[in-house]
Amino acid sequence: MQLILALIAMVLLVFLGLQWLKVSTNHQDYIEVPNLKKFDLDIVDKKLKEMDLRYEVLDSASYNPDFPPYSVIDHIPKVGTKVKKQRKIYLTLNPGDYAKVQIPDLFINRTLRQVEPSLKSMGLKVGEIIETPYFAKGIVLHLLHEEDTISPGDYITKNSVIDILVSDGSLDFNEKVVPEIKENLNEDLNKTLQNLEDTETN
């Protein structure tokens, strides 16, 4: 009889201990992580405070045009994950715009085959290839962005469209350069072509 009573007492103590552990650790008292994507930080801050959750902003990711600037791109834990109160949610934010890249001086007087893939590798888009008379063929003479000339050392926003002015190889080595200039090219481009003409003449 004493042995049976001892076993009953042990089982009862274990049961009560488990129940206390559940209560003290808020067992089964979970909060489901909401979808925070595309919301700016002010809205996320208010939402998580209402749900008794905390957050921490991680480093920003690469700019994503599908998300508003400074909005949440991703978060950990993921949507639908059940967490306890005061759990920290880690946020990844979208930057305000694409990063900028610097144009190196190696692009001028290089071949189009060299420059075109290099521009793409920098995150830039190649737009119109504009040919102009010159004795060499396929040589990059100038870079343009929105009809403005780009100088080495200039910073350009990634994903920008870059037009390339290249030589067409239509002239003999000693032939005078008389380039045909499109109306939409700016004065800086005209000066650049004039310098090429003067150099060839000399």
Side-chain angles (χ1 to χ4, degrees), residues 2 27 39 42 57 73 79 83 101 109 122-123 128 148 152 156 164 166 170 177 182 184-185 187:
Q2 290 180 345
H27 189 68
F39 291 107
D42 289 339
V57 177
I73 289 181
V79 179
V83 299
V101 292
N109 296 325
M122 294 173 62
E128 186 178 0
D148 291 329
I156 302 296
I164 306 176
V166 298
S170 63
V177 178
K182 292 189 175 183
N184 64 336
L185 298 184
E187 293 181 0

Side-chain angles (χ1 to χ4, degrees), residues 133-135 171 173-179 190-202:
Y134 197 62
F135 67 86
L171 300 181
F173 182 76
N174 292 323
E175 187 174 354
K176 185 178 180 180
V177 178
V178 184
N190 295 343
K191 292 179 181 178
T192 299
L193 296 177
Q194 184 62 48
N195 290 337
L196 290 172
E197 177 182 347
D198 295 341
T199 301
E200 190 64 29
T201 302
N202 295 332

Side-chain angles (χ1 to χ4, degrees), residues 51-68:
M51 300 179 70
D52 202 12
L53 296 173
R54 300 178 297 151
Y55 70 89
E56 180 178 334
V57 177
L58 301 177
D59 291 339
S60 298
S62 298
Y63 179 72
N64 188 333
D66 296 330
F67 288 74

Side-chain angles (χ1 to χ4, degrees), residues 98 119-120 123-127 157-163:
Y98 288 102
L119 288 172
K120 292 179 180 178
L124 300 171
K125 295 181 178 179
V126 175
T157 302
K158 280 188 176 182
N159 211 45
S160 297
V161 177
I162 306 299
D163 298 326

Side-chain angles (χ1 to χ4, degrees), residues 43-202:
I43 295 176
V44 171
D45 178 78
K46 182 178 180 180
K47 179 69 174 178
L48 293 181
K49 283 181 178 178
E50 290 175 352
M51 300 179 70
D52 202 12
L53 296 173
R54 300 178 297 151
Y55 70 89
E56 180 178 334
V57 177
L58 301 177
D59 291 339
S60 298
S62 298
Y63 179 72
N64 188 333
D66 296 330
F67 288 74
Y70 308 110
S71 67
V72 175
I73 289 181
D74 200 5
H75 55 81
I76 300 173
K78 301 292 185 181
V79 179
T81 303
K82 292 182 178 180
V83 299
K84 295 180 181 180
K85 292 181 179 180
Q86 290 297 304
R87 172 66 186 270
K88 185 177 287 187
I89 310 298
Y90 295 93
L91 309 176
T92 301
L93 298 185
N94 195 28
D97 199 353
Y98 288 102
K100 291 183 179 292
V101 292
Q102 188 175 24
I103 301 297
D105 57 2
L106 299 177
F107 286 171
I108 306 303
N109 296 325
R110 300 286 180 174
T111 65
L112 181 61
R113 289 185 177 182
Q114 292 174 313
V115 173
E116 191 170 4
S118 296
L119 288 172
K120 292 179 180 178
S121 69
M122 294 173 62
L124 300 171
K125 295 181 178 179
V126 175
E128 186 178 0
I129 306 299
I130 306 168
E131 292 190 336
T132 188
Y134 197 62
F135 67 86
K137 182 174 177 60
I139 300 299
V140 173
L141 304 177
H142 219 66
L143 301 178
L144 304 169
H145 174 55
E146 296 179 350
E147 300 184 4
D148 291 329
T149 56
I150 303 173
S151 301
D154 287 349
Y155 285 88
I156 302 296
T157 302
K158 280 188 176 182
N159 211 45
S160 297
V161 177
I162 306 299
D163 298 326
I164 306 176
L165 180 70
V166 298
S167 57
D168 63 5
S170 63
L171 300 181
D172 293 332
F173 182 76
N174 292 323
E175 187 174 354
K176 185 178 180 180
V177 178
V178 184
E180 296 179 3
I181 302 170
K182 292 189 175 183
E183 293 181 357
N184 64 336
L185 298 184
N186 60 18
E187 293 181 0
D188 288 340
L189 178 56
N190 295 343
K191 292 179 181 178
T192 299
L193 296 177
Q194 184 62 48
N195 290 337
L196 290 172
E197 177 182 347
D198 295 341
T199 301
E200 190 64 29
T201 302
N202 295 332

